mmCIF file of all heavy atoms in Angstrom:
data_model
loop_
_atom_site.group_PDB
_atom_site.id
_atom_site.type_symbol
_atom_site.label_atom_id
_atom_site.label_comp_id
_atom_site.label_asym_id
_atom_site.label_seq_id
_atom_site.Cartn_x
_atom_site.Cartn_y
_atom_site.Cartn_z
ATOM 1 N N ASP C 1 35.942 60.549 17.206
ATOM 2 C CA ASP C 1 36.322 59.237 17.741
ATOM 3 C C ASP C 1 35.419 58.169 17.146
ATOM 4 O O ASP C 1 34.297 57.941 17.607
ATOM 5 C CB ASP C 1 36.213 59.248 19.268
ATOM 6 C CG ASP C 1 36.778 57.992 19.916
ATOM 7 O OD1 ASP C 1 36.774 56.927 19.261
ATOM 8 O OD2 ASP C 1 37.211 58.066 21.083
ATOM 9 N N TYR C 2 35.922 57.473 16.119
ATOM 10 C CA TYR C 2 35.082 56.516 15.393
ATOM 11 C C TYR C 2 34.846 55.225 16.165
ATOM 12 O O TYR C 2 33.903 54.479 15.852
ATOM 13 C CB TYR C 2 35.677 56.217 14.012
ATOM 14 C CG TYR C 2 37.114 55.749 14.001
ATOM 15 C CD1 TYR C 2 37.445 54.419 14.225
ATOM 16 C CD2 TYR C 2 38.144 56.637 13.733
ATOM 17 C CE1 TYR C 2 38.751 53.983 14.197
ATOM 18 C CE2 TYR C 2 39.453 56.222 13.694
ATOM 19 C CZ TYR C 2 39.764 54.891 13.927
ATOM 20 O OH TYR C 2 41.071 54.469 13.904
ATOM 21 N N LEU C 3 35.661 54.933 17.172
ATOM 22 C CA LEU C 3 35.419 53.746 18.001
ATOM 23 C C LEU C 3 34.354 54.030 19.054
ATOM 24 O O LEU C 3 33.457 53.209 19.281
ATOM 25 C CB LEU C 3 36.719 53.280 18.658
ATOM 26 C CG LEU C 3 37.818 52.813 17.700
ATOM 27 C CD1 LEU C 3 39.076 52.444 18.469
ATOM 28 C CD2 LEU C 3 37.344 51.621 16.865
ATOM 29 N N ASP C 4 34.436 55.174 19.680
ATOM 30 C CA ASP C 4 33.417 55.566 20.659
ATOM 31 C C ASP C 4 32.055 55.676 19.974
ATOM 32 O O ASP C 4 31.026 55.358 20.587
ATOM 33 C CB ASP C 4 33.805 56.895 21.297
ATOM 34 C CG ASP C 4 32.967 57.233 22.519
ATOM 35 O OD1 ASP C 4 32.654 56.311 23.303
ATOM 36 O OD2 ASP C 4 32.639 58.410 22.703
ATOM 37 N N PHE C 5 32.051 56.108 18.727
ATOM 38 C CA PHE C 5 30.801 56.214 17.971
ATOM 39 C C PHE C 5 30.072 54.871 17.937
ATOM 40 O O PHE C 5 28.843 54.810 18.085
ATOM 41 C CB PHE C 5 31.101 56.692 16.548
ATOM 42 C CG PHE C 5 29.884 56.983 15.714
ATOM 43 C CD1 PHE C 5 29.396 58.279 15.608
ATOM 44 C CD2 PHE C 5 29.222 55.974 15.017
ATOM 45 C CE1 PHE C 5 28.273 58.566 14.836
ATOM 46 C CE2 PHE C 5 28.103 56.239 14.244
ATOM 47 C CZ PHE C 5 27.623 57.542 14.158
ATOM 48 N N ILE C 6 30.798 53.785 17.748
ATOM 49 C CA ILE C 6 30.177 52.451 17.728
ATOM 50 C C ILE C 6 29.510 52.152 19.055
ATOM 51 O O ILE C 6 28.381 51.646 19.102
ATOM 52 C CB ILE C 6 31.212 51.368 17.385
ATOM 53 C CG1 ILE C 6 31.768 51.569 15.968
ATOM 54 C CG2 ILE C 6 30.593 49.971 17.507
ATOM 55 C CD1 ILE C 6 32.890 50.615 15.598
ATOM 56 N N ASP C 7 30.188 52.453 20.159
ATOM 57 C CA ASP C 7 29.616 52.200 21.479
ATOM 58 C C ASP C 7 28.334 53.006 21.693
ATOM 59 O O ASP C 7 27.356 52.510 22.250
ATOM 60 C CB ASP C 7 30.627 52.554 22.572
ATOM 61 C CG ASP C 7 31.838 51.641 22.574
ATOM 62 O OD1 ASP C 7 31.698 50.476 22.148
ATOM 63 O OD2 ASP C 7 32.919 52.090 22.991
ATOM 64 N N ILE C 8 28.347 54.259 21.240
ATOM 65 C CA ILE C 8 27.205 55.147 21.483
ATOM 66 C C ILE C 8 25.993 54.740 20.651
ATOM 67 O O ILE C 8 24.860 54.743 21.145
ATOM 68 C CB ILE C 8 27.593 56.608 21.182
ATOM 69 C CG1 ILE C 8 28.694 57.084 22.140
ATOM 70 C CG2 ILE C 8 26.373 57.528 21.285
ATOM 71 C CD1 ILE C 8 29.315 58.404 21.740
ATOM 72 N N TYR C 9 26.227 54.378 19.394
ATOM 73 C CA TYR C 9 25.114 54.174 18.458
ATOM 74 C C TYR C 9 24.964 52.713 18.016
ATOM 75 O O TYR C 9 24.409 52.438 16.952
ATOM 76 C CB TYR C 9 25.301 55.079 17.232
ATOM 77 C CG TYR C 9 25.360 56.537 17.602
ATOM 78 C CD1 TYR C 9 26.565 57.232 17.565
ATOM 79 C CD2 TYR C 9 24.222 57.216 18.038
ATOM 80 C CE1 TYR C 9 26.636 58.572 17.942
ATOM 81 C CE2 TYR C 9 24.276 58.550 18.413
ATOM 82 C CZ TYR C 9 25.486 59.220 18.367
ATOM 83 O OH TYR C 9 25.540 60.539 18.744
ATOM 84 N N ALA C 10 25.415 51.800 18.851
ATOM 85 C CA ALA C 10 25.405 50.377 18.495
ATOM 86 C C ALA C 10 24.039 49.904 18.003
ATOM 87 O O ALA C 10 23.940 49.147 17.030
ATOM 88 C CB ALA C 10 25.852 49.535 19.682
ATOM 89 N N GLU C 11 22.972 50.345 18.666
ATOM 90 C CA GLU C 11 21.632 49.861 18.315
ATOM 91 C C GLU C 11 21.154 50.398 16.973
ATOM 92 O O GLU C 11 20.234 49.819 16.374
ATOM 93 C CB GLU C 11 20.635 50.247 19.407
ATOM 94 C CG GLU C 11 20.868 49.531 20.726
ATOM 95 C CD GLU C 11 19.800 49.876 21.751
ATOM 96 O OE1 GLU C 11 18.918 50.713 21.447
ATOM 97 O OE2 GLU C 11 19.850 49.304 22.857
ATOM 98 N N ARG C 12 21.746 51.473 16.493
ATOM 99 C CA ARG C 12 21.296 52.089 15.244
ATOM 100 C C ARG C 12 22.200 51.761 14.057
ATOM 101 O O ARG C 12 21.840 52.050 12.913
ATOM 102 C CB ARG C 12 21.213 53.612 15.409
ATOM 103 C CG ARG C 12 20.136 54.076 16.389
ATOM 104 C CD ARG C 12 18.757 54.035 15.802
ATOM 105 N NE ARG C 12 17.726 54.380 16.790
ATOM 106 C CZ ARG C 12 16.437 54.540 16.494
ATOM 107 N NH1 ARG C 12 16.011 54.391 15.254
ATOM 108 N NH2 ARG C 12 15.561 54.828 17.443
ATOM 109 N N ILE C 13 23.366 51.180 14.290
ATOM 110 C CA ILE C 13 24.280 50.857 13.195
ATOM 111 C C ILE C 13 23.822 49.568 12.535
ATOM 112 O O ILE C 13 23.859 48.493 13.140
ATOM 113 C CB ILE C 13 25.728 50.721 13.707
ATOM 114 C CG1 ILE C 13 26.232 52.065 14.228
ATOM 115 C CG2 ILE C 13 26.635 50.213 12.587
ATOM 116 C CD1 ILE C 13 27.593 52.001 14.902
ATOM 117 N N LYS C 14 23.382 49.673 11.294
ATOM 118 C CA LYS C 14 22.857 48.520 10.561
ATOM 119 C C LYS C 14 23.672 48.190 9.314
ATOM 120 O O LYS C 14 23.488 47.130 8.724
ATOM 121 C CB LYS C 14 21.398 48.770 10.144
ATOM 122 C CG LYS C 14 20.456 49.128 11.287
ATOM 123 C CD LYS C 14 20.296 48.001 12.282
ATOM 124 C CE LYS C 14 19.273 48.363 13.362
ATOM 125 N NZ LYS C 14 19.156 47.312 14.396
ATOM 126 N N MET C 15 24.536 49.120 8.889
ATOM 127 C CA MET C 15 25.355 48.892 7.700
ATOM 128 C C MET C 15 26.768 49.396 7.952
ATOM 129 O O MET C 15 26.997 50.245 8.814
ATOM 130 C CB MET C 15 24.743 49.594 6.474
ATOM 131 C CG MET C 15 23.450 48.980 5.999
ATOM 132 S SD MET C 15 22.738 49.855 4.576
ATOM 133 C CE MET C 15 24.062 49.695 3.391
ATOM 134 N N PHE C 16 27.718 48.902 7.155
ATOM 135 C CA PHE C 16 29.135 49.168 7.397
ATOM 136 C C PHE C 16 29.860 49.294 6.066
ATOM 137 O O PHE C 16 29.892 48.353 5.277
ATOM 138 C CB PHE C 16 29.716 48.016 8.232
ATOM 139 C CG PHE C 16 31.199 48.046 8.485
ATOM 140 C CD1 PHE C 16 31.916 49.236 8.539
ATOM 141 C CD2 PHE C 16 31.883 46.856 8.695
ATOM 142 C CE1 PHE C 16 33.275 49.245 8.788
ATOM 143 C CE2 PHE C 16 33.246 46.851 8.953
ATOM 144 C CZ PHE C 16 33.941 48.043 8.990
ATOM 145 N N HIS C 17 30.405 50.489 5.793
ATOM 146 C CA HIS C 17 31.322 50.693 4.673
ATOM 147 C C HIS C 17 32.745 50.599 5.197
ATOM 148 O O HIS C 17 33.134 51.355 6.097
ATOM 149 C CB HIS C 17 31.112 52.058 4.027
ATOM 150 C CG HIS C 17 30.101 52.054 2.932
ATOM 151 N ND1 HIS C 17 29.707 53.194 2.266
ATOM 152 C CD2 HIS C 17 29.419 51.040 2.351
ATOM 153 C CE1 HIS C 17 28.809 52.889 1.343
ATOM 154 N NE2 HIS C 17 28.610 51.596 1.385
ATOM 155 N N VAL C 18 33.502 49.694 4.634
ATOM 156 C CA VAL C 18 34.896 49.515 5.028
ATOM 157 C C VAL C 18 35.738 50.427 4.129
ATOM 158 O O VAL C 18 36.059 50.073 2.992
ATOM 159 C CB VAL C 18 35.333 48.047 4.892
ATOM 160 C CG1 VAL C 18 36.680 47.837 5.574
ATOM 161 C CG2 VAL C 18 34.291 47.111 5.487
ATOM 162 N N LYS C 19 36.058 51.602 4.629
ATOM 163 C CA LYS C 19 36.819 52.574 3.837
ATOM 164 C C LYS C 19 37.875 53.226 4.711
ATOM 165 O O LYS C 19 37.596 53.619 5.841
ATOM 166 C CB LYS C 19 35.896 53.634 3.236
ATOM 167 C CG LYS C 19 36.604 54.539 2.220
ATOM 168 C CD LYS C 19 35.631 55.392 1.427
ATOM 169 C CE LYS C 19 35.103 56.538 2.241
ATOM 170 N NZ LYS C 19 34.265 57.463 1.445
ATOM 171 N N ASP C 20 39.065 53.345 4.181
ATOM 172 C CA ASP C 20 40.203 53.852 4.937
ATOM 173 C C ASP C 20 40.408 55.346 4.650
ATOM 174 O O ASP C 20 39.906 55.879 3.659
ATOM 175 C CB ASP C 20 41.462 53.071 4.560
ATOM 176 C CG ASP C 20 42.452 52.943 5.708
ATOM 177 O OD1 ASP C 20 42.339 53.711 6.682
ATOM 178 O OD2 ASP C 20 43.348 52.070 5.625
ATOM 179 N N ALA C 21 41.121 56.021 5.523
ATOM 180 C CA ALA C 21 41.412 57.438 5.370
ATOM 181 C C ALA C 21 42.637 57.788 6.203
ATOM 182 O O ALA C 21 43.074 57.022 7.063
ATOM 183 C CB ALA C 21 40.220 58.291 5.806
ATOM 184 N N GLU C 22 43.174 58.965 5.946
ATOM 185 C CA GLU C 22 44.288 59.468 6.739
ATOM 186 C C GLU C 22 44.106 60.966 6.969
ATOM 187 O O GLU C 22 43.469 61.662 6.169
ATOM 188 C CB GLU C 22 45.624 59.213 6.035
ATOM 189 C CG GLU C 22 45.759 59.919 4.698
ATOM 190 C CD GLU C 22 47.057 59.560 3.976
ATOM 191 O OE1 GLU C 22 47.869 58.806 4.551
ATOM 192 O OE2 GLU C 22 47.250 60.024 2.834
ATOM 193 N N PHE C 23 44.653 61.442 8.087
ATOM 194 C CA PHE C 23 44.622 62.871 8.406
ATOM 195 C C PHE C 23 46.010 63.289 8.826
ATOM 196 O O PHE C 23 46.532 62.830 9.850
ATOM 197 C CB PHE C 23 43.601 63.158 9.509
ATOM 198 C CG PHE C 23 43.483 64.618 9.849
ATOM 199 C CD1 PHE C 23 42.964 65.514 8.926
ATOM 200 C CD2 PHE C 23 43.916 65.098 11.073
ATOM 201 C CE1 PHE C 23 42.875 66.872 9.228
ATOM 202 C CE2 PHE C 23 43.821 66.453 11.391
ATOM 203 C CZ PHE C 23 43.295 67.339 10.454
ATOM 204 N N ASN C 24 46.646 64.132 8.026
ATOM 205 C CA ASN C 24 48.017 64.558 8.257
ATOM 206 C C ASN C 24 48.089 66.089 8.234
ATOM 207 O O ASN C 24 48.452 66.690 7.217
ATOM 208 C CB ASN C 24 48.947 63.972 7.191
ATOM 209 C CG ASN C 24 48.948 62.448 7.199
ATOM 210 O OD1 ASN C 24 49.231 61.831 8.224
ATOM 211 N ND2 ASN C 24 48.643 61.838 6.070
ATOM 212 N N PRO C 25 47.722 66.728 9.341
ATOM 213 C CA PRO C 25 47.738 68.191 9.374
ATOM 214 C C PRO C 25 49.159 68.737 9.320
ATOM 215 O O PRO C 25 50.116 68.085 9.741
ATOM 216 C CB PRO C 25 47.061 68.510 10.704
ATOM 217 C CG PRO C 25 47.377 67.328 11.569
ATOM 218 C CD PRO C 25 47.345 66.140 10.636
ATOM 219 N N THR C 26 49.276 69.920 8.785
ATOM 220 C CA THR C 26 50.578 70.594 8.714
ATOM 221 C C THR C 26 50.423 71.999 9.273
ATOM 222 O O THR C 26 49.351 72.390 9.729
ATOM 223 C CB THR C 26 51.057 70.677 7.252
ATOM 224 O OG1 THR C 26 50.216 71.609 6.540
ATOM 225 C CG2 THR C 26 51.000 69.319 6.569
ATOM 226 N N GLY C 27 51.497 72.777 9.204
ATOM 227 C CA GLY C 27 51.416 74.171 9.602
ATOM 228 C C GLY C 27 50.633 75.010 8.610
ATOM 229 O O GLY C 27 50.333 76.176 8.883
ATOM 230 N N ARG C 28 50.274 74.419 7.464
ATOM 231 C CA ARG C 28 49.559 75.159 6.432
ATOM 232 C C ARG C 28 48.077 74.798 6.329
ATOM 233 O O ARG C 28 47.277 75.607 5.875
ATOM 234 C CB ARG C 28 50.209 74.927 5.067
ATOM 235 C CG ARG C 28 51.583 75.566 4.919
ATOM 236 C CD ARG C 28 52.071 75.452 3.476
ATOM 237 N NE ARG C 28 53.275 76.252 3.273
ATOM 238 C CZ ARG C 28 54.507 75.792 3.448
ATOM 239 N NH1 ARG C 28 54.685 74.539 3.845
ATOM 240 N NH2 ARG C 28 55.548 76.576 3.241
ATOM 241 N N GLN C 29 47.718 73.579 6.716
ATOM 242 C CA GLN C 29 46.317 73.186 6.565
ATOM 243 C C GLN C 29 45.926 72.125 7.582
ATOM 244 O O GLN C 29 46.773 71.373 8.076
ATOM 245 C CB GLN C 29 46.028 72.666 5.151
ATOM 246 C CG GLN C 29 46.846 71.449 4.739
ATOM 247 C CD GLN C 29 46.273 70.743 3.537
ATOM 248 O OE1 GLN C 29 45.249 70.067 3.632
ATOM 249 N NE2 GLN C 29 46.936 70.892 2.405
ATOM 250 N N GLY C 30 44.619 72.106 7.873
ATOM 251 C CA GLY C 30 44.083 71.134 8.818
ATOM 252 C C GLY C 30 42.818 70.510 8.277
ATOM 253 O O GLY C 30 42.757 70.089 7.129
ATOM 254 N N VAL C 31 41.758 70.468 9.111
ATOM 255 C CA VAL C 31 40.527 69.778 8.738
ATOM 256 C C VAL C 31 39.926 70.330 7.445
ATOM 257 O O VAL C 31 39.436 69.579 6.607
ATOM 258 C CB VAL C 31 39.500 69.867 9.889
ATOM 259 C CG1 VAL C 31 38.127 69.381 9.433
ATOM 260 C CG2 VAL C 31 39.974 69.037 11.081
ATOM 261 N N TYR C 32 39.999 71.645 7.242
ATOM 262 C CA TYR C 32 39.348 72.235 6.064
ATOM 263 C C TYR C 32 40.208 72.128 4.806
ATOM 264 O O TYR C 32 39.707 72.292 3.695
ATOM 265 C CB TYR C 32 38.982 73.695 6.347
ATOM 266 C CG TYR C 32 38.047 73.839 7.522
ATOM 267 C CD1 TYR C 32 38.484 74.422 8.708
ATOM 268 C CD2 TYR C 32 36.745 73.359 7.463
ATOM 269 C CE1 TYR C 32 37.640 74.536 9.797
ATOM 270 C CE2 TYR C 32 35.894 73.466 8.547
ATOM 271 C CZ TYR C 32 36.348 74.059 9.711
ATOM 272 O OH TYR C 32 35.509 74.160 10.785
ATOM 273 N N SER C 33 41.495 71.880 4.966
ATOM 274 C CA SER C 33 42.400 71.507 3.874
ATOM 275 C C SER C 33 42.570 72.538 2.770
ATOM 276 O O SER C 33 42.935 72.202 1.641
ATOM 277 C CB SER C 33 41.975 70.158 3.278
ATOM 278 O OG SER C 33 42.176 69.117 4.217
ATOM 279 N N GLY C 34 42.312 73.799 3.061
ATOM 280 C CA GLY C 34 42.699 74.875 2.168
ATOM 281 C C GLY C 34 42.182 74.798 0.746
ATOM 282 O O GLY C 34 42.866 75.243 -0.191
ATOM 283 N N TYR C 35 40.982 74.271 0.549
ATOM 284 C CA TYR C 35 40.381 74.154 -0.789
ATOM 285 C C TYR C 35 41.211 73.311 -1.757
ATOM 286 O O TYR C 35 41.055 73.421 -2.974
ATOM 287 C CB TYR C 35 40.144 75.543 -1.423
ATOM 288 C CG TYR C 35 39.093 76.373 -0.736
ATOM 289 C CD1 TYR C 35 39.455 77.513 -0.025
ATOM 290 C CD2 TYR C 35 37.746 76.024 -0.782
ATOM 291 C CE1 TYR C 35 38.494 78.294 0.613
ATOM 292 C CE2 TYR C 35 36.785 76.786 -0.153
ATOM 293 C CZ TYR C 35 37.157 77.920 0.550
ATOM 294 O OH TYR C 35 36.206 78.683 1.178
ATOM 295 N N GLN C 36 42.063 72.461 -1.241
ATOM 296 C CA GLN C 36 42.911 71.664 -2.129
ATOM 297 C C GLN C 36 42.156 70.472 -2.704
ATOM 298 O O GLN C 36 41.154 70.026 -2.154
ATOM 299 C CB GLN C 36 44.146 71.184 -1.361
ATOM 300 C CG GLN C 36 45.025 72.309 -0.855
ATOM 301 C CD GLN C 36 45.459 73.237 -1.968
ATOM 302 O OE1 GLN C 36 46.225 72.843 -2.854
ATOM 303 N NE2 GLN C 36 44.986 74.478 -1.930
ATOM 304 N N SER C 37 42.646 69.964 -3.828
ATOM 305 C CA SER C 37 42.087 68.737 -4.404
ATOM 306 C C SER C 37 42.433 67.571 -3.491
ATOM 307 O O SER C 37 43.259 67.694 -2.580
ATOM 308 C CB SER C 37 42.659 68.507 -5.802
ATOM 309 O OG SER C 37 44.062 68.267 -5.725
#
């Protein structure tokens, strides 16, 4: 939860990388993504 992370660590967050991502799990792969490129 990247929003809750801000609330928890507000005092320690000093820098911000604005980078986007997506997570689209299937019946074949999830977080570990099957060693795919």
Side-chain angles (χ1 to χ4, degrees):
D1 188 332
Y2 54 83
L3 296 177
D4 192 39
F5 186 96
I6 296 175
D7 293 332
I8 296 169
Y9 301 107
E11 293 184 357
R12 294 282 175 173
I13 295 173
K14 305 296 184 183
M15 291 179 59
F16 175 29
H17 271 176
V18 192
K19 189 168 76 174
D20 212 343
E22 62 184 357
F23 182 67
N24 299 304
T26 70
R28 291 188 170 90
Q29 60 164 287
V31 170
Y32 301 111
S33 293
Y35 293 111
Q36 298 305 293
S37 65

